[in-house]
Amino acid sequence: MNSSHLIRDLNDKGLFTVPFTAVEITDAFWRPRQEEHRTTTIRLTLDKAEETGRIDNFRKAAGWIPGEHVGRYYNDSDVYKILEGVAYTLQHVRDEELERRADKVIDAIAAAQERDGYINTFFTLKEPEKKWTDMTLHETYCGGHLIEAGIAYARATGKEKLLHAGQAFADHLLRRFGPGGEHWVSGHQEIELALTALYGYTGHARYVDLAYWFLEQRGRGHGRGTSWEREDFGAAYAQDDVPVAELAQPLGHAVRAMYMYAAMAELVALGVAPEYESALARLWESIVEKNMYITGGIGPSAHNEGFTRDYDLPNATSYAETCASVGMVLWNYRMFLISGDGRYMDVMERALYNGALSGVSLSGARFFYANPLESDGTKHRQEWYDCSCCPTTIARFIPSIGKYVYATGKGRLFVNLYMQSAATVRIPHTGGESRWTLVQNTMYPWDGQVALTLDGEFSEEMTVSLRLPTWAHSWTASINAESVAPSTGSSYLSGGYLHLRRVWTPGDRIELNLDMPVRVVSAHPAVEDDRGRVAVCRGPLVYCAESVDNGSLSDVVVSDRTRFLRRYRPMLLGGVVELTGYNPGGAREVVRLIPYYSWDNREPGEMRVWFDNSTYEPLYVSGAMSE
Amino acid sequence: MNSSHLIRDLNDKGLFTVPFTAVEITDAFWRPRQEEHRTTTIRLTLDKAEETGRIDNFRKAAGWIPGEHVGRYYNDSDVYKILEGVAYTLQHVRDEELERRADKVIDAIAAAQERDGYINTFFTLKEPEKKWTDMTLHETYCGGHLIEAGIAYARATGKEKLLHAGQAFADHLLRRFGPGGEHWVSGHQEIELALTALYGYTGHARYVDLAYWFLEQRGRGHGRGTSWEREDFGAAYAQDDVPVAELAQPLGHAVRAMYMYAAMAELVALGVAPEYESALARLWESIVEKNMYITGGIGPSAHNEGFTRDYDLPNATSYAETCASVGMVLWNYRMFLISGDGRYMDVMERALYNGALSGVSLSGARFFYANPLESDGTKHRQEWYDCSCCPTTIARFIPSIGKYVYATGKGRLFVNLYMQSAATVRIPHTGGESRWTLVQNTMYPWDGQVALTLDGEFSEEMTVSLRLPTWAHSWTASINAESVAPSTGSSYLSGGYLHLRRVWTPGDRIELNLDMPVRVVSAHPAVEDDRGRVAVCRGPLVYCAESVDNGSLSDVVVSDRTRFLRRYRPMLLGGVVELTGYNPGGAREVVRLIPYYSWDNREPGEMRVWFDNSTYEPLYVSGAMSE
């Protein structure tokens, strides 16, 4: 097996991620959340993994303690994901107690691994004879999370025990599967992303080849197992209905789809599977235009935890799993990396600030699995779930946010997210590599004003590319207080970015001011639940109403002529811009709105994102026109 | 004739204007225009009045020089309007040379007046026997402008010669017309406004009674004269088709209509004709919703200089006379004074910053009569017109702008226009009257941030009412950096204002931040010329494209997904925020826009306000929604 010739050198890839370790977030929005994550979420999930026997399963498999496997067949994955979250957390803050706890868990994992590299406590303890018989049962899914955790932990601590466990599992796969080996369709994709990450860490092309092989197994009749046999699921449930390069319609389990699409994008980036690019474009258009909630959430149905039919986006019963929104972040960010196109970052940001962030309470201690867009007061975050993928996804996601702020290309810096921070980036260029320090000052997402100060090594012309989010219909930009005139060659617009090219000077200050008015938006008319309704957004945030602020929500009527008072309320919900809507004349308060991500953090009650739309008499419409 | 019992004491009127003499404009937008007005416009119009024989007509009528009447039968009005403009100018700046020139003109006017108070050089010199025979021939129109000029000049200089001439004319009218006298329908309304102003200055109720009588003459079959006899004009041309209290549809000559509606509103304010209020409401709705250009211009047809049928708003042939837009300011401001409702100020501001301001070049030396919304390159401002009402309207209008900034009511200050300025206002309240000084800092109309600092005498609870323009869909406000929460009793919204009630303290600082994004707006679908088209606005300003920036305009396509760079260009057109539109992806510049008022100040070329609208592929539309 040798297709390493397919793999472009990493340095030839178009774009690079600036790791979150290089970006120190200093804002009042994400930094407190990351701190809450370290002091609450990561410890809580570790505690829960202990309490629910998830960690004990490893100790049992290692023979350290007696007992049966407890819980679901994929519970190992939660432990790995928590360890990945621990690793990221340790990269932010040395936390010896946390590291000691993790080390002990890792010891149990390593001891639980079988000699041939196989690791899965469910099969080891309960059904050792059934290993590799049912593709539904998450053996590669769990193993994939082990690999990602191992890489993260090695990066964070220099300790490679978990990494070696992961690599041993990968090598186990290589011996069993791949060209000439057995067929295998991963029932829950994840191994593909893990294998490309392992290639990134080790440089061994065989892992990428195997990722490609796993993807190419799909849609060719090789899949079998529980979910394949269920009439209501079948091959499409796990995206095994057509070869991946032929995909056109998002189907099946949403998280599985996201992880697979993300892996496909990785293989495009690596030059292994350029043929996936058009499939990804088709899928992206279909999802973004026809199968995505305004929150960036996807997968409306609880039944298959996934996609149904175009424009089927009910609000009260919306599943929109937290993991799927995080998956949208993972996938869309990779779509950006293979294209440099800002529209992927737009969708990524939508999912990040809404559908994904709503997955965790402000306390960091409670989690949504499903993220409804409407509630009668009975839907609340929980401390844990029997299937706890969402809490543990949050555990590994929140500390990694910083990696999405900047990206680099040859002679180019992409400013993708506006987030107050201090960063050090290395920018490759024809003369080698330059080290820049970036100080970004902004109140984003509460305000659209951003100031970016550059310092470092400036030798030749380089481009700073500022993302202009699609919602920013108008903006202004300046360099050292001199306003920018695009289309002059040295500054131009393309792909949703304002590109500023010049030989930069230490201390150069770029200012971007994105107009951030309140927007009243409507859904595609084919979305039945939103017909005749509008939602309210500002900047990247979707807003919602809760009955704690409004009383009953059934009478709330909003229109594009509702006028909104913005008010930053530092003591409300950790500090939010609250919107108060008034009727056009201003005499009557019609609704009070908070960011969607912050709902269900106070008294229980109704919640709504989409409101009945009213057309007021045209008395306040100026002129023969509508504004 | 005694209906003075109908007249409410002025102090019982709801709202008061703060005179422009109390408001020192200090901004970079209006102040340079007023300076240009003093140094250029007012002198140029005086020169032109001299060159064209308008002033000589008075000298001839006085018998000082020999000769025939020269020019049109209403040319006297231009001289009066210029003198009114001179008076306002002198209230801003003592300008001895200007005052000397005006004094000499006034001497000629006084000498031209006949013994019985009659004054009109056309009739005195040319057809003395035809006085008061043809209601079309502007005898009351000219006399009305004399009265307004006389009051202004007396206020500015303390010299009452012109005032006495005006009052003598008013008394002449009182002897001839009114109950028991002859019938008279003023062919071009203006005398009514002048008579109420004369009441305001002298306190003599008979002038108001006469104004009311003039209005009540209309629509009762008393009108006769040239325009009545023209089949295509008839009684409706001069709003003589129905009694004014029954008016429902704007018809006829637009300027005449505006002056009449303004006078009707004055009589409502004075308590004389409360029955006019519902007619005014009907007319306002009809004009604003069906008969007004986006610029606030009215009267689409050159044929009757006026209204045609609902939604008839052609762009290339739009008449939208400068005087009619100024008339919209006059009328809408009075509608505000009788209601305290901000929607009238919205329309007033629209007319002010667009349809009216476009009437004068940046140099202050050239004028539009008609204000088209589209030009093939052949339409330009002129230095003068044979019928020069528009230049002389500009002459008296520009120096008066300051009066629209603030208004007062009992215990209440209205902040109506955002304009950097320092002002002294007297606010009546239950305990007497308080004197406040106001410093308003803002870059408006280029920016929606306003800071207002209060100082003065604060004894009891008073209300500061900040206008929230309809275009400001969202805003934020604070008092002494503490954000405002309306609906708390001490701060509330109504009638398009944010009302802030409290016992104020010297140094209190109110900040208002109106979100001012670029807006892409569409016309009512019944407006044929704008169907499938959109216009671009920001804040109070309508934008347009000129070929000097764009080349041919026929290919320009704009949509609500066009994205705009804002750029303040201090050296362009006296300093404007220029907008550059890009296609949604940002790769292609689609249009460059300047404020409509500033067009035709550079090389001649095409101009457009309404652009073809394109629906781009939905690729950049996020989610199942349109933004």
Side-chain angles (χ1 to χ4, degrees):
Chain A
M1 186 164 103
N2 179 4
S3 59
S4 59
H5 62 280
L6 285 172
I7 302 172
R8 276 191 266 166
D9 187 296
L10 262 179
N11 289 325
D12 279 349
K13 269 206 304 181
L15 304 176
F16 305 86
T17 297
V18 173
F20 68 81
T21 48
V23 181
E24 191 201 351
I25 300 171
T26 59
D27 74 354
F29 189 93
W30 289 106
R31 194 188 176 95
R33 274 166 186 80
Q34 291 196 330
E35 186 60 14
E36 207 63 78
H37 176 273
R38 183 179 71 84
T39 56
T40 303
T41 312
I42 199 69
R43 286 175 156 79
L44 177 143
T45 51
L46 258 179
D47 290 347
K48 284 288 174 187
E50 196 66 79
E51 287 167 27
T52 58
R54 279 168 166 84
I55 298 174
D56 274 347
N57 282 338
F58 289 99
R59 298 191 184 105
K60 291 169 186 168
W64 293 0
I65 59 172
E68 298 274 290
H69 180 273
V70 167
R72 306 212 178 183
Y73 57 86
Y74 46 78
N75 276 3
D76 289 1
S77 64
D78 291 323
V79 179
Y80 301 142
K81 287 161 72 184
I82 295 164
L83 288 173
E84 188 183 345
V86 168
Y88 296 157
T89 304
L90 295 177
Q91 286 184 285
H92 287 286
V93 182
R94 289 321 296 181
D95 185 323
E96 289 179 17
E97 185 240 339
L98 199 58
E99 188 170 340
R100 261 197 310 275
R101 285 186 70 179
D103 283 343
K104 285 185 186 164
V105 176
I106 290 167
D107 287 344
I109 292 168
Q113 189 163 38
E114 301 186 17
R115 294 216 161 173
D116 63 354
Y118 183 87
I119 180 164
N120 187 303
T121 64
F122 173 82
F123 286 98
T124 299
L125 290 168
K126 201 160 187 170
E127 309 197 86
E129 73 291 346
K130 290 201 175 158
K131 287 176 193 165
W132 303 122
T133 57
D134 185 338
M135 297 178 186
T136 312
L137 297 183
H138 291 12
E139 288 159 284
T140 57
Y141 172 78
C142 292
H145 279 303
L146 167 62
I147 292 168
E148 291 209 73
I151 295 167
Y153 206 76
R155 284 215 171 96
T157 63
K159 298 172 185 169
E160 297 200 325
K161 187 182 272 188
L162 194 65
L163 172 72
H164 290 152
Q167 199 167 350
F169 180 76
D171 292 336
H172 176 88
L173 296 178
L174 277 167
R175 285 191 299 276
R176 181 157 199 139
F177 305 111
E182 294 172 36
H183 287 299
W184 192 264
V185 175
S186 291
H188 192 314
Q189 299 88 323
E190 154 63 22
I191 189 66
E192 307 83 355
L193 275 176
L195 288 168
T196 58
L198 191 57
Y199 160 70
Y201 190 83
T202 65
H204 298 321
R206 61 180 183 272
Y207 298 127
V208 177
D209 292 335
L210 185 62
Y212 184 49
W213 179 88
F214 270 122
L215 287 168
E216 283 301 308
Q217 283 287 288
R218 313 186 86 85
R220 303 184 196 279
H222 303 314
R224 48 196 50 88
T226 316
S227 74
W228 276 263
E229 287 154 22
R230 278 182 61 169
E231 238 177 70
D232 56 345
F233 283 5
Y237 173 74
Q239 296 82 35
D240 186 33
D241 49 333
V242 293
V244 296
E246 294 167 27
L247 281 166
Q249 177 72 11
L251 287 175
H253 189 276
V255 181
R256 293 165 211 231
M258 288 303 106
Y259 286 15
M260 182 175 85
Y261 302 167
M264 288 167 69
E266 287 269 357
L267 291 179
V268 173
L270 292 168
V272 174
E275 72 274 21
Y276 290 172
E277 205 161 357
S278 55
L280 290 171
R282 289 191 297 271
L283 292 164
W284 190 85
E285 282 185 36
S286 174
I287 288 179
V288 171
E289 289 166 25
K290 300 173 189 164
N291 293 282
M292 181 178 78
Y293 285 99
I294 192 171
T295 56
I298 53 165
S301 168
H303 177 72
N304 67 343
E305 301 193 308
F307 297 104
T308 53
R309 56 182 196 284
D310 288 348
Y311 303 114
D312 177 32
L313 296 165
N315 293 317
T317 63
S318 70
Y319 199 66
E321 187 182 334
T322 298
C323 290
S325 287
V326 172
M328 282 288 277
V329 171
L330 302 179
W331 174 40
N332 276 282
Y333 185 63
R334 284 165 175 82
M335 293 298 283
F336 159 76
L337 287 176
I338 63 175
S339 66
D341 196 327
R343 61 190 167 152
Y344 301 114
M345 287 305 304
D346 284 350
V347 175
M348 180 277 191
E349 186 181 46
R350 180 183 293 279
L352 172 62
Y353 276 94
N354 302 286
L357 190 54
S358 65
V360 58
S361 68
L362 296 176
S363 68
R366 300 180 78 84
F367 310 92
F368 271 130
Y369 196 110
N371 291 272
L373 276 77
E374 187 169 324
S375 170
D376 58 3
T378 59
K379 292 165 188 162
H380 307 296
R381 291 187 188 83
Q382 298 178 29
E383 208 183 26
W384 196 245
Y385 290 85
D386 190 31
C387 168
S388 67
C389 57
C390 293
T392 58
T393 287
I394 289 292
R396 75 182 191 125
F397 180 62
I398 295 291
S400 75
I401 302 298
K403 74 187 266 197
Y404 302 107
V405 177
Y406 298 105
T408 59
K410 209 161 228 170
R412 183 184 300 274
L413 172 74
F414 282 91
V415 187
N416 276 328
L417 294 184
Y418 300 109
M419 203 179 283
Q420 184 157 294
S421 55
T424 313
V425 301
R426 295 164 183 283
I427 303 183
H429 54 85
T430 51
E433 193 181 67
S434 285
R435 200 187 168 87
W436 288 11
T437 57
L438 308 170
V439 176
Q440 191 185 141
N441 283 303
T442 180
M443 289 284 287
Y444 200 92
W446 308 125
D447 186 289
Q449 289 186 46
V450 181
L452 184 71
T453 310
L454 312 183
D455 215 329
E457 303 151 8
F458 303 103
S459 51
E460 56 179 283
E461 273 202 345
M462 304 251 243
T463 303
V464 175
S465 301
L466 304 168
R467 189 169 69 91
L468 299 173
T470 303
W471 55 255
H473 297 298
S474 50
W475 78 95
T476 181
S478 67
I479 302 173
N480 300 328
E482 201 175 302
S483 71
V484 159
S487 317
T488 60
S490 67
S491 60
Y492 58 99
L493 289 156
S494 84
Y497 287 84
L498 170 61
H499 304 282
L500 305 173
R501 184 163 183 77
R502 56 166 61 194
V503 180
W504 297 91
T505 308
D508 276 347
R509 181 182 168 89
I510 301 170
E511 290 191 7
L512 178 68
N513 193 346
L514 303 165
D515 287 335
M516 201 188 261
V518 174
R519 309 188 311 282
V520 174
V521 308
S522 53
H524 191 289
V527 179
E528 205 176 321
D529 242 33
D530 302 340
R531 219 171 284 152
R533 292 178 146 197
V534 291
V536 179
C537 303
R538 181 168 178 264
L541 300 175
V542 174
Y543 274 74
C544 72
E546 286 195 297
S547 56
V548 58
D549 299 313
N550 293 278
S552 167
L553 300 180
S554 52
D555 295 338
V556 173
V557 166
V558 171
S559 88
D560 55 6
R561 289 178 43 234
T562 302
R563 308 177 72 187
F564 293 94
L565 168 79
R566 291 190 281 111
R567 203 147 55 103
Y568 184 72
R569 299 195 52 193
M571 304 309 288
L572 177 66
L573 295 164
V576 297
V577 166
E578 181 193 59
L579 301 178
T580 311
Y582 296 87
N583 69 326
R588 199 163 45 79
E589 181 181 319
V590 294
V591 71
R592 221 165 249 243
L593 301 167
I594 56 164
Y596 172 76
Y597 73 76
S598 69
W599 83 280
D600 192 44
N601 278 291
R602 294 173 294 170
E603 297 98 282
E606 290 176 78
M607 183 279 288
R608 279 195 192 185
V609 168
W610 291 97
F611 305 99
D612 286 342
N613 184 12
S614 153
T615 308
Y616 291 96
E617 331 81 86
L619 206 62
Y620 284 81
V621 178
S622 290
M625 85 211 91
S626 68
E627 295 211 10
Chain B
M1 186 166 102
N2 178 5
S3 59
S4 61
H5 63 282
L6 285 172
I7 301 171
R8 278 191 266 165
D9 187 296
L10 262 178
N11 289 325
D12 278 349
K13 269 206 306 181
L15 304 177
F16 304 87
T17 298
V18 173
F20 68 81
T21 47
V23 181
E24 191 200 351
I25 300 171
T26 58
D27 73 353
F29 190 92
W30 289 106
R31 193 188 176 93
R33 275 166 186 79
Q34 291 196 329
E35 186 59 14
E36 208 62 79
H37 175 275
R38 184 179 71 85
T39 56
T40 303
T41 312
I42 198 69
R43 286 175 155 78
L44 177 142
T45 51
L46 258 179
D47 291 347
K48 284 287 175 188
E50 196 68 78
E51 285 168 27
T52 57
R54 280 169 166 82
I55 298 174
D56 274 346
N57 282 338
F58 289 100
R59 297 191 186 106
K60 290 171 186 167
W64 295 0
I65 59 171
E68 297 275 290
H69 180 273
V70 166
R72 305 212 178 185
Y73 57 85
Y74 47 77
N75 275 3
D76 289 0
S77 65
D78 290 324
V79 179
Y80 302 142
K81 287 160 72 184
I82 295 164
L83 288 173
E84 189 182 345
V86 168
Y88 296 156
T89 304
L90 295 177
Q91 287 185 284
H92 287 287
V93 183
R94 289 319 299 181
D95 185 322
E96 289 179 17
E97 185 240 338
L98 199 57
E99 188 171 338
R100 262 197 310 274
R101 285 185 71 177
D103 284 342
K104 285 185 189 167
V105 176
I106 289 168
D107 288 343
I109 292 169
Q113 190 164 36
E114 300 185 18
R115 294 213 162 175
D116 64 353
Y118 183 87
I119 179 163
N120 188 303
T121 64
F122 173 81
F123 285 98
T124 297
L125 289 168
K126 202 159 188 169
E127 309 197 87
E129 73 291 347
K130 289 200 175 158
K131 288 175 194 166
W132 303 122
T133 57
D134 185 338
M135 298 179 186
T136 312
L137 297 183
H138 290 15
E139 287 160 285
T140 57
Y141 172 77
C142 292
H145 278 304
L146 167 61
I147 293 168
E148 290 210 73
I151 295 168
Y153 206 75
R155 283 216 171 97
T157 62
K159 298 174 185 169
E160 297 200 327
K161 187 181 272 189
L162 194 65
L163 173 72
H164 290 152
Q167 199 167 351
F169 180 76
D171 292 336
H172 175 88
L173 296 179
L174 276 167
R175 286 191 298 273
R176 181 159 199 137
F177 306 110
E182 292 173 36
H183 287 298
W184 191 265
V185 175
S186 291
H188 192 313
Q189 299 90 323
E190 155 62 22
I191 189 66
E192 307 82 356
L193 275 176
L195 287 169
T196 58
L198 191 56
Y199 160 69
Y201 191 82
T202 63
H204 298 321
R206 61 180 185 271
Y207 298 127
V208 178
D209 291 336
L210 185 61
Y212 184 50
W213 180 87
F214 271 122
L215 287 168
E216 283 300 308
Q217 284 286 291
R218 314 185 86 86
R220 303 184 196 279
H222 303 314
R224 50 194 48 86
T226 316
S227 74
W228 276 264
E229 286 153 24
R230 278 182 63 169
E231 237 177 70
D232 56 345
F233 283 5
Y237 174 74
Q239 297 81 35
D240 186 35
D241 50 333
V242 292
V244 296
E246 292 166 29
L247 282 165
Q249 177 72 13
L251 288 175
H253 189 276
V255 181
R256 294 166 211 230
M258 288 303 106
Y259 286 15
M260 182 174 84
Y261 302 168
M264 289 167 69
E266 287 269 356
L267 292 179
V268 172
L270 292 169
V272 173
E275 72 274 21
Y276 289 172
E277 205 160 358
S278 55
L280 290 170
R282 288 190 298 270
L283 292 164
W284 190 84
E285 282 184 36
S286 174
I287 288 180
V288 171
E289 290 167 23
K290 301 173 190 164
N291 292 283
M292 181 178 78
Y293 285 100
I294 191 172
T295 56
I298 52 165
S301 168
H303 176 70
N304 68 342
E305 302 193 305
F307 297 103
T308 54
R309 57 182 196 285
D310 289 347
Y311 303 115
D312 177 31
L313 296 165
N315 292 318
T317 63
S318 70
Y319 199 66
E321 186 183 335
T322 298
C323 290
S325 287
V326 172
M328 282 287 277
V329 171
L330 302 179
W331 175 41
N332 276 281
Y333 185 62
R334 284 165 175 82
M335 292 298 283
F336 158 76
L337 287 176
I338 62 175
S339 66
D341 196 328
R343 62 189 166 152
Y344 301 114
M345 288 305 305
D346 284 350
V347 175
M348 180 276 191
E349 186 181 47
R350 179 183 293 280
L352 171 63
Y353 277 94
N354 302 286
L357 190 54
S358 65
V360 58
S361 68
L362 295 177
S363 68
R366 300 180 80 85
F367 310 92
F368 271 130
Y369 195 112
N371 291 273
L373 276 76
E374 188 169 323
S375 170
D376 58 4
T378 59
K379 292 165 188 161
H380 307 296
R381 290 187 189 83
Q382 299 178 27
E383 208 183 24
W384 196 245
Y385 291 85
D386 190 32
C387 168
S388 66
C389 57
C390 293
T392 58
T393 287
I394 289 292
R396 76 182 189 125
F397 180 62
I398 296 292
S400 77
I401 301 298
K403 74 187 266 197
Y404 302 106
V405 178
Y406 297 105
T408 58
K410 208 161 229 170
R412 182 184 300 275
L413 172 75
F414 282 91
V415 187
N416 276 327
L417 293 184
Y418 299 109
M419 203 179 283
Q420 184 157 294
S421 55
T424 313
V425 300
R426 296 165 183 281
I427 304 184
H429 55 83
T430 50
E433 193 182 66
S434 285
R435 201 186 166 88
W436 288 12
T437 58
L438 308 169
V439 176
Q440 192 185 141
N441 283 302
T442 180
M443 289 283 288
Y444 201 91
W446 308 124
D447 185 288
Q449 290 186 46
V450 180
L452 184 71
T453 310
L454 312 184
D455 216 328
E457 302 151 8
F458 303 103
S459 51
E460 55 179 284
E461 273 202 345
M462 305 251 244
T463 304
V464 175
S465 300
L466 304 167
R467 188 169 69 91
L468 301 172
T470 303
W471 54 256
H473 296 298
S474 49
W475 78 95
T476 182
S478 66
I479 302 173
N480 300 328
E482 201 175 302
S483 71
V484 160
S487 316
T488 60
S490 66
S491 62
Y492 58 98
L493 288 156
S494 85
Y497 287 84
L498 171 60
H499 304 282
L500 306 173
R501 183 163 183 76
R502 55 167 61 195
V503 179
W504 298 91
T505 309
D508 276 348
R509 181 181 166 90
I510 301 170
E511 290 191 7
L512 178 67
N513 193 346
L514 303 165
D515 287 335
M516 201 187 260
V518 175
R519 309 187 312 280
V520 175
V521 307
S522 53
H524 191 290
V527 179
E528 206 176 319
D529 242 33
D530 302 340
R531 219 171 283 153
R533 293 179 145 196
V534 291
V536 180
C537 302
R538 181 169 178 264
L541 300 175
V542 174
Y543 273 73
C544 73
E546 286 195 297
S547 58
V548 58
D549 299 313
N550 294 277
S552 166
L553 300 181
S554 52
D555 295 338
V556 173
V557 166
V558 171
S559 86
D560 54 7
R561 288 178 44 233
T562 302
R563 306 177 74 186
F564 294 93
L565 169 78
R566 290 190 280 112
R567 203 147 54 102
Y568 183 72
R569 298 195 55 193
M571 303 310 287
L572 178 66
L573 295 164
V576 297
V577 167
E578 181 192 59
L579 301 178
T580 310
Y582 297 86
N583 70 326
R588 198 164 44 79
E589 181 182 319
V590 294
V591 72
R592 221 165 249 242
L593 301 168
I594 57 164
Y596 172 76
Y597 73 76
S598 69
W599 84 280
D600 192 44
N601 277 290
R602 295 172 295 170
E603 295 99 284
E606 290 176 77
M607 183 278 289
R608 278 194 193 187
V609 169
W610 291 97
F611 305 98
D612 285 341
N613 183 13
S614 152
T615 308
Y616 291 95
E617 332 79 87
L619 206 61
Y620 283 81
V621 178
S622 290
M625 86 211 91
S626 67
E627 297 210 8

